[in-house]
Amino acid sequence: MIDVVIPVRAGGDYTITMRSLERQFFRDINVIVVHDHAGQGACWARNEGMKMATAPLILFSDDDVDWKPSALENMVRALE
């Protein structure tokens, strides 16, 4: 139901974000990590991730966000 697009620049570490997504109460998540090795920028990486997304909802997340466990559940509930 939610595709989470994470742009990561060369040498970036998205461990914090991945761990926080693994702890989400809402479990219908697909994570799309886009590595920007060519330095084209976060906008390019987000657009590439959006091309790969298939879920009805897309969340763009920076690679250093520590999401609270209820964050995605609350977002979905608010959108419904």
Side-chain angles (χ1 to χ4, degrees), residues 13-55:
D13 181 9
Y14 54 98
T15 306
I16 291 170
T17 302
M18 287 301 293
R19 286 189 180 145
S20 69
L21 291 173
E22 290 169 357
R23 293 190 308 265
Q24 290 300 301
F25 299 146
F26 186 83
R27 303 302 300 167
D28 194 2
I29 302 168
N30 179 47
V31 178
I32 301 169
V33 177
V34 180
H35 295 276
D36 179 14
H37 296 293
Q40 297 180 55
C43 290
W44 171 86
R46 288 184 188 103
N47 287 332
E48 290 301 304
M50 188 167 180
K51 291 176 189 175
M52 294 182 254
T54 59

Side-chain angles (χ1 to χ4, degrees), residues 3-7 45-47 49-50 58-62 65 67:
D3 283 339
V4 181
V5 177
I6 306 171
R46 288 184 188 103
N47 287 332
M50 188 167 180
I58 301 171
L59 171 66
F60 297 103
S61 176
D62 288 340
V65 176
W67 294 97

